[in-house]
């Protein structure tokens, strides 16, 4: 018994276009993933530098009015005391 493999390299125009599109999408997706990772790393480093310059207590002082307003809204809505 003999096995015969038939390999064809002639495809339709649509198959060739599909293959070219898929071949172009691979490197594009890889480049987007790398750029996304670099962006996240850069934003994390910038956040760390800002926190080192400003400091956490000063940032907490800036956020205090928002926290107080949220507590007031909570008390008005639910009538419960937050401690």
């Amino acid at each position: 018994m003999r096995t015969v493999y038939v390999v064809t390299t002639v495809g339709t125009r649509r198959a060739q276009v599909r293959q070219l599109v898929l071949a172009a999408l691979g490197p594009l997706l890889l480049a987007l993933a790398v750029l996304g990772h670099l962006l996240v790393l850069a934003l994390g480093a910038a956040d760390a530098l800002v926190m080192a310059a400003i400091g956490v207590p000063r940032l907490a002082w800036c956020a205090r009015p928002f926290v107080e307003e949220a507590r007031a809204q909570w008390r008005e809505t639910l009538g419960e005391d937050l401690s």
Side-chain angles (χ1 to χ4, degrees), residues 43-58:
L43 288 175
D47 179 53
L49 289 173
V50 167
M51 286 298 117
I54 292 177
V56 176
R58 188 173 298 166

Side-chain angles (χ1 to χ4, degrees), residues 54-68:
I54 292 177
V56 176
R58 188 173 298 166
L59 185 64
W61 176 81
C62 294
R64 186 168 292 133
F66 297 110
V67 172
E68 290 174 0

Side-chain angles (χ1 to χ4, degrees), residues 4-48:
V4 177
Y5 296 100
V6 177
V7 179
T8 59
T9 57
V10 179
T12 63
R13 179 78 174 148
R14 188 173 183 173
Q16 290 172 347
V17 169
R18 187 181 320 131
Q19 185 178 8
L20 285 174
V21 168
L22 290 176
L25 280 179
L28 177 66
L29 288 175
L30 179 64
L32 287 174
V34 169
L35 285 176
H37 280 81
L38 291 176
L39 180 66
V40 168
L41 287 172
L43 288 175
D47 179 53

Side-chain angles (χ1 to χ4, degrees), residues 70-82:
R71 284 185 179 154
Q73 291 294 326
W74 182 277
R75 288 185 185 121
E76 284 180 19
T77 306
L78 299 177
E80 295 180 13
D81 186 32
L82 293 177

